[in-house]
Amino acid sequence: MGLHSNQEYFVSWEELHRATRELARRQLPAEQWQGIIAVSRGGLVPAAILARELNIRVVESVCVRSYAHQSQVAEPEMLKDISCTEDGAGFLVVDDLVDTGNTLRFLRKRLPKAKFITVYAKPEGLPLVDEYEADIEQSTWIHFPWDVHLHYVDPLAGEDK
């Protein structure tokens, strides 16, 4: 997929599902994976789709705070660690997006043998992800479907008379 060049990019549920399913296809054969580690919160929905598509039952979450609303924190903070693996061997670590790479850099130290995958990737974070589905420009703010609320918008031409 090509770069999205607008400053804001809104991802629909359908697009997220399609992109994550394609990412799952590239993780076959599924037997090579012992489980999935979702990076909370953004990786939870992609992890559920991957678990379904790869028929993987072991799914755990790791909770890292690296953002406060729309601002990155100075140092990522581990809020909840995982217990399913010591080093990540045989596990997929899944997040929605790699941006600057701070979260994945932090988690790679904890899980050096895991495979790190994201649905979307920005250039600054690319060296920290093993595989991803779609490029996003560094300056673009991405809005995931769980972060937005749909509402009615008036037609450009106004209402019928």
Side-chain angles (χ1 to χ4, degrees):
M1 184 181 277
L3 286 174
H4 299 289
S5 60
N6 50 334
Q7 294 299 306
E8 287 187 289
Y9 184 69
F10 292 83
V11 178
S12 70
W13 285 109
E14 292 80 7
E15 180 183 347
L16 179 79
H17 191 267
R18 183 213 51 80
T20 306
R21 195 163 189 261
E22 186 55 38
L23 186 61
R25 183 183 324 279
R26 294 199 314 272
Q27 307 316 309
L28 294 170
E31 296 75 26
Q32 68 184 308
W33 307 115
Q34 295 179 33
I36 295 171
I37 299 168
V39 180
S40 178
R41 295 176 302 207
L44 294 171
V45 172
I49 295 168
L50 284 158
R52 191 257 181 200
E53 295 301 332
L54 298 174
N55 199 24
I56 293 174
R57 305 261 180 211
V58 176
V59 180
E60 191 165 351
S61 66
V62 62
C63 304
V64 177
R65 183 192 338 248
S66 56
Y67 277 89
H69 187 52
Q70 293 185 357
S71 303
Q72 282 198 323
V73 296
E75 279 297 314
E77 176 188 359
M78 180 75 75
L79 301 176
K80 177 194 161 290
D81 202 351
I82 49 102
S83 60
C84 58
T85 178
E86 288 298 315
D87 59 7
F91 280 81
L92 291 168
V93 175
V94 182
D95 208 351
D96 54 357
L97 167 74
V98 61
D99 189 334
T100 63
N102 287 345
T103 302
L104 296 190
R105 184 177 298 107
F106 179 78
L107 288 173
R108 276 197 180 276
K109 292 176 189 169
R110 167 66 181 88
L111 301 163
K113 295 185 177 177
K115 181 175 183 180
F116 286 76
I117 62 175
T118 62
V119 183
Y120 299 94
K122 292 185 177 182
E124 203 174 314
L126 281 179
L128 293 149
V129 67
D130 296 312
E131 201 165 337
Y132 68 98
E133 177 58 22
D135 295 288
I136 300 289
E137 285 187 358
Q138 195 67 43
S139 61
T140 298
W141 185 260
I142 188 166
H143 297 277
F144 289 97
W146 50 83
D147 289 329
V148 296
H149 180 73
L150 297 178
H151 61 88
Y152 178 79
V153 176
D154 288 328
L156 291 174
E159 294 294 324
D160 290 339
K161 296 179 177 145

